[in-house]
Amino acid sequence: MAGQNHLRRSVIQLYKELQFMGREYPAGAEYFHSKCKAAFLKNKDETDPEKIKMLIDRGRFVQKEIEALYGLRKYRAMKQRYYDKEDMDRHSKIIESFVKQL
């Protein structure tokens, strides 16, 4: 019984963390929240502890992927903010010439 309570807390914590992260999702918060809720409801009747652990691990993987997506979005925004198009073209040409030399 104690193991079930631990799994239940882990699932609830994962759900809350994903819902919090979904506020900034590129396709919109409502889209993310509805997809997340549907995924959790699809597996709500699962009772096998091993299967639940596997689903929690999959959820943690999705969480890390979303964090990576947000990091990439921030990087692209900074890149656009601080580099103008001419600098980007110049850097691209330098990189291409370097690659050709290899």
Side-chain angles (χ1 to χ4, degrees):
M1 188 69 174
Q4 291 287 8
N5 286 336
H6 175 68
L7 288 175
R8 179 177 168 79
R9 276 185 274 143
S10 296
V11 169
I12 292 171
Q13 180 184 7
L14 176 64
Y15 183 76
K16 287 181 179 181
E17 290 172 2
L18 286 171
Q19 290 293 327
F20 180 78
M21 291 177 74
R23 296 182 308 160
E24 298 178 27
Y25 195 71
E30 287 300 317
Y31 173 81
F32 182 86
H33 292 311
S34 65
K35 293 291 185 179
C36 183
K37 184 176 181 178
F40 275 81
L41 286 176
K42 182 176 83 172
N43 297 304
K44 73 177 184 173
D45 296 325
E46 189 61 53
T47 57
D48 180 26
E50 292 302 316
K51 176 80 172 173
I52 293 171
K53 288 177 186 176
M54 185 191 73
L55 291 168
I56 290 171
D57 289 342
R58 182 185 298 165
R60 294 286 177 210
F61 174 77
V62 169
Q63 189 177 27
K64 290 177 184 174
E65 289 292 315
I66 293 169
E67 288 173 0
L69 175 72
Y70 290 166
L72 181 62
R73 185 178 68 185
K74 288 178 183 178
Y75 169 75
R76 287 180 177 165
M78 284 182 55
K79 191 174 175 183
Q80 288 177 350
R81 190 173 297 137
Y82 293 109
Y83 292 105
D84 58 357
K85 179 142 176 63
E86 293 172 5
D87 285 341
M88 295 303 294
D89 291 339
R90 186 170 35 111
H91 291 300
S92 296
K93 289 178 184 177
I94 292 170
I95 291 171
E96 286 175 12
S97 65
F98 179 73
V99 170
K100 287 179 184 178
Q101 291 175 359
L102 296 175

